[in-house]
Amino acid sequence: MPTSSHFGKTETVKWFKDNEHNITRILDIGAGSGTYPKLIKGAGICKDAEWVGVEVWEPYINQFNLTSLYSKIVVEDARKINWSALGRFTVAIAGDILEHITKDEAVIVVDQILDNCNTLIISIPIIHYPQGPYQGNPYEEHIKDDWSHDEMLSTWGKQIKNYWKTSASDVGVYWLSK
């Protein structure tokens, strides 16, 4: 779905507030309905930063008026982007995208993104969370629908600098850097 769980959003906004003085370029991968700029810029944070959105499903651009939220929108599958051509970002957000691709693809995509940003924030369901296509969008299907906190740590443990999760949450938020 083009929206995501509210879990972890408060912690993500707090991170942006605490680091705002260092943030100039933000990459939002899987822009969907524009959750992150709405939350962050809506809180008066990073309003002057350049926001670049990546969205694979072109109809979302008009449906959610994404051009009003981002300086630039890239319509492309995250697995096919030439990340270095986009330039370097202070922070990239991969909000609820890794469950839509295989684990092997996720490892490659995360590595490519980390090569082009200082910090990558991953928000992901960390429970068994199956989902099919949504309103005609085949990209909404969960391909790897069983990520866990332990699997996140074992896959990217060296790059994970901090994380947030609670026993009441079905979502984990992970801050990664190289």
Side-chain angles (χ1 to χ4, degrees):
M1 291 183 286
T3 59
S4 59
S5 169
H6 68 279
F7 287 115
K9 299 297 189 280
T10 300
E11 292 72 21
T12 301
V13 171
K14 181 183 181 320
W15 183 89
F16 272 91
K17 183 177 181 184
D18 292 347
N19 292 280
E20 180 177 22
H21 60 283
N22 293 323
I23 299 172
T24 57
R25 292 190 81 214
I26 301 164
L27 179 64
D28 185 6
I29 307 148
S33 65
T35 297
Y36 289 99
K38 287 177 186 174
L39 285 172
I40 295 163
K41 290 196 299 188
I45 304 164
C46 295
K47 292 189 305 185
D48 296 328
E50 178 188 7
W51 283 79
V52 176
V54 172
E55 179 51 56
V56 67
W57 188 243
E58 192 168 7
Y60 286 168
I61 295 169
N62 289 328
Q63 182 178 352
F64 298 108
N65 195 20
L66 296 181
T67 56
S68 71
L69 299 171
Y70 298 93
S71 308
K72 178 181 179 179
I73 299 284
V74 177
V75 181
E76 186 61 81
D77 186 317
R79 296 169 289 190
K80 298 177 182 176
I81 290 178
N82 177 351
W83 296 103
S84 60
L86 292 177
R88 186 143 188 94
F89 290 87
T90 315
V91 60
I93 306 164
D96 298 299
I97 68 154
L98 297 183
E99 66 273 21
H100 298 277
I101 59 180
T102 68
K103 181 176 180 175
D104 289 342
E105 291 169 328
V107 169
I108 292 166
V109 168
V110 166
D111 190 50
Q112 291 171 339
I113 296 167
L114 283 172
D115 283 343
N116 294 287
C117 73
N118 298 344
T119 301
L120 170 60
I121 301 170
I122 297 173
S123 176
I124 189 168
I126 51 171
I127 60 168
H128 181 239
Y129 197 78
Q131 177 177 291
Y134 178 78
Q135 295 185 345
N137 182 351
Y139 297 102
E140 291 291 356
E141 183 176 2
H142 288 183
I143 303 301
K144 171 135 174 62
D145 62 7
D146 61 349
W147 284 98
S148 69
H149 175 67
D150 289 341
E151 186 172 14
M152 289 295 294
L153 294 178
S154 67
T155 303
W156 291 292
K158 292 179 182 175
Q159 289 97 357
I160 294 174
K161 306 307 176 192
N162 197 4
Y163 64 84
W164 174 90
K165 73 170 201 74
T166 68
S167 59
S169 173
D170 56 357
V171 171
V173 181
Y174 302 84
W175 286 262
L176 289 73
S177 62
K178 281 196 168 181

